[in-house]
């Protein structure tokens, strides 16, 4: 319902205001104590600032969408009021009416396109902002010793995970390029490097169609597939579990 949506929006606004004030007071306190530089270098300080800035962008995006939606409603009403009616035999009574109708129709299409573009980027931003907020949960977990075990484990494993992903990306990219040369001339999934990376990534997770890959050159496809499964699916994934 409408009231429920407004209530959720109000709660989000209050939580963002609390985050803004907490972050601001924390930075001012560090500045007065002469520890501002040390405070800025902390990881959680950056998480707080990014969360605050991201929340502000969420609010701004929401307000922009409401403004564009209001413009769309206004253009639609004007378009409906200036369209030909049955009394006029569905014809424009003057060139001025026809010109206004075309202008309102153009405005309606323009604003609708703006709203569609805004919502596309807005949804993508909300996705990454929600993932950013996961970091704040980890900070809360540090206050409880048993929950802190998880966050401390992640911290200690970050260097190994970073080096692992460098090797993983190199091997993954190599197989994707090789697959593009081998299958790209007949399969859309391997027609470009980006699509080959996407499909081979899905293969790492266990989703593939071997019959489709082996349709033209089964021997070569088998060798490529066997090497892919051995290196990426068995060795690399088990190394990730070991880390």
């Amino acid at each position: 319902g409408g009231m429920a949506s407004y209530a959720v929006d109000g709660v989000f606004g209050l939580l963002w205001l609390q985050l803004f004030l907490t972050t601001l007071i924390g930075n001012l306190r560090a500045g007065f104590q002469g520890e501002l530089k040390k405070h800025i270098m902390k990881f959680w300080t950056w998480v707080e600032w990014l969360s605050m800035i991201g929340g502000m962008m969420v609010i701004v995006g929401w307000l922009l969408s409401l403004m564009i939606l209001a413009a769309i409603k206004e253009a639609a009403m004007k378009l409906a009021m200036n369209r030909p009616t049955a009394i006029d035999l569905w014809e424009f009574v003057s060139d001025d009416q026809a010109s206004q109708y075309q202008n309102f129709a153009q405005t309606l299409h323009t604003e609708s396109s703006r709203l569609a573009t805004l919502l596309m980027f807005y949804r993508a931003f909300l996705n990454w902002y929600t993932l950013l907020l996961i970091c704040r949960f980890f900070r809360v977990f540090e206050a409880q010793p048993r929950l802190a075990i998880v966050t401390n484990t992640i911290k200690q494993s970050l260097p190994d995970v970073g080096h692992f992903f460098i090797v993983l990306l190199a091997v993954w990219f190599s197989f994707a390029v090789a697959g593009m040369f081998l299958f790209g001339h007949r399969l859309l999934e391997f027609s470009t490097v980006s699509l080959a990376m996407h499909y081979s990534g899905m293969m790492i997770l266990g989703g593939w169609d071997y019959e489709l890959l082996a349709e033209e050159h089964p021997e070569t496809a088998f060798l490529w597939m066997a090497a892919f499964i051995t290196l990426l699916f068995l060795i690399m994934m088990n190394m990730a579990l070991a880390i």
Side-chain angles (χ1 to χ4, degrees):
M3 293 301 298
S5 299
Y6 287 127
V8 172
D9 295 334
V11 170
F12 180 84
L14 291 176
L15 290 175
W16 178 84
L17 182 61
Q18 184 268 341
L19 174 62
F20 172 77
L21 293 177
T22 302
T23 305
L24 182 62
I25 292 174
N27 283 272
L28 290 176
R29 183 183 295 113
F32 288 135
Q33 295 175 352
E35 299 179 352
L36 182 60
K37 184 177 180 180
K38 181 180 178 181
H39 180 71
I40 293 177
M41 296 303 294
K42 292 181 179 179
F43 172 76
W44 294 120
T45 302
W46 285 95
V47 172
E48 296 294 333
W49 274 98
L50 290 175
S51 300
M52 182 188 67
I53 296 173
M56 181 178 63
M57 293 180 66
V58 169
I59 296 174
V60 170
W62 176 69
L63 293 175
L64 285 176
S65 65
L66 291 181
M67 293 173 57
I68 298 176
L69 185 60
I72 291 175
K73 292 180 179 179
E74 182 181 359
M77 290 296 297
K78 291 181 178 180
L79 187 68
M81 293 175 61
N82 284 271
R83 66 182 178 181
T85 61
I87 299 177
D88 302 321
L89 301 178
W90 306 108
E91 294 182 357
F92 293 107
V93 296
S94 65
D95 293 338
D96 184 59
Q97 183 188 13
S99 177
Q100 289 184 352
Y101 184 86
Q102 291 178 356
N103 291 335
F104 292 142
Q106 181 65 35
T107 301
L108 179 61
H109 286 289
T110 301
E111 295 298 331
S112 299
S113 178
R114 287 180 58 198
L115 181 62
T117 303
L118 173 64
L119 292 179
M120 178 182 66
F121 287 104
Y122 191 57
R123 285 191 294 268
F125 176 78
L126 287 175
N127 164 65
W128 292 110
Y129 182 66
T130 304
L131 296 179
L132 171 66
L133 295 180
I134 295 176
C135 296
R136 293 178 54 80
F137 285 107
F138 288 137
R139 185 178 187 182
V140 175
F141 293 160
E142 289 186 341
Q144 212 280 339
R146 290 187 177 273
L147 295 177
I149 294 175
V150 178
T151 56
N152 292 332
T153 302
I154 294 176
K155 286 181 180 179
Q156 295 177 4
S157 64
L158 280 179
D160 294 330
V161 172
H163 289 90
F164 167 78
F165 271 105
I166 293 175
V167 178
L168 175 64
L169 288 175
V171 178
W172 181 6
F173 179 77
S174 300
F175 271 99
V177 173
M180 182 186 68
F181 289 127
L182 186 60
F183 311 115
H185 65 284
R186 61 183 180 87
L187 297 180
L188 176 64
E189 293 83 354
F190 285 91
S191 57
T192 64
V193 175
S194 59
L195 290 176
M197 289 284 290
H198 174 265
Y199 191 79
S200 56
M202 296 301 296
M203 291 176 63
I204 295 176
L205 300 177
W208 63 73
D209 187 351
Y210 176 72
E211 294 182 357
L212 184 64
L213 298 177
E215 188 174 302
E216 185 177 11
H217 298 292
E219 295 82 5
T220 307
F222 172 79
L223 293 175
W224 183 88
M225 192 73 175
F228 183 91
I229 292 176
T230 302
L231 286 175
L232 286 171
F233 193 70
L234 296 178
I235 297 178
M236 301 298 292
M237 290 301 99
N238 281 282
M239 287 177 62
L241 293 176
I243 295 174

